[in-house]
Amino acid sequence: MYPGRWKAADSFMRTEESRLFIRSYFEGSPCGNAPEFIRLNGLAGFPNVNRELFKQERFFYSILKKRLFELYAALKRHFPAINFIHYKGIYMNEFYPEGNMRVFSDIDLLLRRKDFRYLSRFFRREDNSLAVTSGDLSIELKNDFFDPFFTRYISGKQGRFLKDVYAKALYHDPRCHFILLCMHNFAHQFSRLDRFFDLHFLISSHELKISSILSLAREYDLGVFVKFNVRLMAVLGFPGTEDVLLNPLYDHLLKKLYDSGRNRFKIMLLLFVLPLPLSIVFLLEKILFLDVEFLKYKLKKSRL
């Protein structure tokens, strides 16, 4: 469940509950409201909950992951010339302290544009991805790590990052994946706390320095999105996190976005970080309801 669906009365508690959960995880002492917190924050598989339930979840997800890897192996056999780039869960799986701690219910892969177009002849298109399915198993193939809401407003430099991920094989650099995760986390309004655990274990596994990640991100005008994630990690109490400075307005809106999950705060932040011409277009589209993708989303949600 996403925090945007929480009752307004509950939203202001999320930061404090997150701090309590994170501290309890690293101290090994489960907090009292862990089951409900895990349900709301997409943390299935983390051991800060009833041990028997965790064993059941671990068994379920370990079987599911085995079946997903078998489907992925079949995909690679059918298309040996395609370079599938691991993203999110399948990429992060090896960096967690225990093998089945990083659970995922599908596999996300990135593709070059030409490969995406080629495979679209074989697999069903769903929004901005291709779906490889077998029964209840699913692999998502993407040429873009942004959602449609976000994609049309990236500047030239930011768009070049997508190209260099493939052309310069940046995906071999763990800093690249850190940036990808930061963008994904912001695009989805920081709705899932396990994305921050991904960032934490990526830093600790590779001994990454925030300054080094920011150096790469700034080459593509993506530094501010990395800062948003790192700032929240420090606020939430992840150990060993290097804090970064944000101006007071960004800091206020960021905490509001995390606590409530409301789209309006993401829109406000985007208005400030986008180049002025894009910011004006973005604002007009929201005011005049000219955003086609947003209208599609609303119609789909209302089942009209």
Side-chain angles (χ1 to χ4, degrees), residues 35-49:
E36 180 66 5
F37 181 82
I38 285 173
R39 185 181 70 81
L40 290 170
N41 286 272
L43 281 160
F46 274 74
N48 295 55
V49 71

Side-chain angles (χ1 to χ4, degrees), residues 199-217:
L199 296 173
H200 169 78
F201 288 123
L202 198 56
I203 290 173
S204 58
S205 297
H206 295 280
E207 298 183 348
L208 297 177
K209 296 293 184 184
I210 299 302
S211 56
S212 176
I213 299 169
L214 281 171
S215 176
L216 176 62

Side-chain angles (χ1 to χ4, degrees), residues 103-120:
V103 302
F104 47 90
S105 56
D106 63 2
I107 288 178
D108 296 276
L109 302 170
L110 296 174
L111 298 171
R112 290 178 173 86
R113 183 169 296 176
K114 65 175 184 178
D115 294 333
F116 185 86
R117 288 174 178 167
Y118 172 71
L119 291 179
S120 65

Side-chain angles (χ1 to χ4, degrees), residues 105-144:
S105 56
D106 63 2
I107 288 178
D108 296 276
L109 302 170
L110 296 174
L111 298 171
R112 290 178 173 86
R113 183 169 296 176
K114 65 175 184 178
D115 294 333
F116 185 86
R117 288 174 178 167
Y118 172 71
L119 291 179
S120 65
R121 295 155 53 187
F122 304 96
F123 301 111
R124 186 177 71 254
R125 184 80 177 255
E126 292 185 355
D127 296 328
N128 63 332
S129 65
L130 301 177
V132 181
T133 58
S134 176
D136 60 338
L137 303 177
S138 175
I139 295 177
E140 284 192 21
L141 308 177
K142 298 183 178 182
N143 172 245
D144 191 347

Side-chain angles (χ1 to χ4, degrees), residues 22 59 76 128 146 200 213 290:
I22 290 163
F59 177 75
K76 289 194 291 184
N128 63 332
F146 298 113
H200 169 78
I213 299 169
L290 297 176

Side-chain angles (χ1 to χ4, degrees), residues 137-166:
L137 303 177
S138 175
I139 295 177
E140 284 192 21
L141 308 177
K142 298 183 178 182
N143 172 245
D144 191 347
F145 56 84
F146 298 113
D147 59 1
F149 173 86
F150 212 58
T151 304
R152 294 183 303 115
Y153 298 99
I154 58 177
S155 69
K157 277 189 178 180
Q158 294 165 341
R160 186 162 55 82
F161 179 67
L162 288 171
K163 295 177 182 176
D164 286 356
V165 165
Y166 310 107

